[in-house]
Amino acid sequence: MVFNGTERYVATDELQMAVKASITLQRPLLIKGEPGTGKTMLAEEVALSLGKKLFRWHIKSTTKAQQGLYEYDAVSRLRDSQLGDEKVYDIGNYIKKGIMWQAFDADEQVVLLIDEIDKADIEFPNDLLVELDKMEFFVYETGERVVAKHRPIIIITSNNEKELPDAFLRRCFFHYITFPDRATMQQIIDVHYPGIQQALVNDALEVFFKIREMNNLKKKPSTSELIDWLKLLIADDIPADLLQNKDIAQAMPPLYGALLKNEQDVHMLQRLAFMAKRDGR
């Protein structure tokens, strides 16, 4: 099984090697990188490329590891017992399979995405050590031992909001998606907008990377935000001359709301542009 990217996803040689290494070692692939660099999309495209079903587990701050395995609905069982329902005698009727159980139970190998694992409590990764390592877990309510029929290809993403435990990291193959250089970004744009005017792309990339190079920027624009910005420029048929002034310290880029996502960064650029005009530069 080899992943070489897809028509919709440009994968660098290093990323392709990371996916291959994870599959070969049968260890989860831990992907880190700036938000908007395609971490989640990687799992989708790996599943598509290899012809496998994708199971998504999106992690929130309130998510518990147990929810990925199963949940026992004791409240429903109590209600049914009060109503005299016969199914209360089979506790299995109140066991809801989680995403990991569903992936373990699949009749063929699947891709399992555990998305943004760093959003959960610090103990969350530790609570999944055995399940990720041994590919099995125990259902205490029924006494059932669940073992994966086929070891899933597991891709775990993190935005680095908090440190992950060493014991968890030891069980993973790690890859950091570096921010694309200009040549790679050009390939990504060509994938999303084949046939786009290269003059527009060149000017847009010039502005985009100048913004990213600015000091004291609270949030640098990401790949996905560049793609959104280009879509707006195309849709609104923005004249090329509006991007000719690539010095962002002198002029705000059109539709900058697609690139800048907080008022601090907007005010900083507006202040620079105002000062430049005042000084007659």
Side-chain angles (χ1 to χ4, degrees), residues 11-31:
T12 62
D13 292 341
E14 292 81 6
L15 181 55
Q16 294 176 34
M17 291 176 62
V19 173
K20 181 179 179 181
S22 171
I23 295 174
T24 301
L25 293 173
Q26 294 187 328
R27 290 190 178 277
L29 174 59
L30 175 61
I31 295 289

Side-chain angles (χ1 to χ4, degrees), residues 262-274:
N262 64 75
E263 63 278 8
Q264 175 180 315
D265 294 340
V266 172
H267 290 163
M268 183 174 68
L269 260 68
Q270 288 175 336
R271 186 165 60 252
L272 289 173
F274 171 78

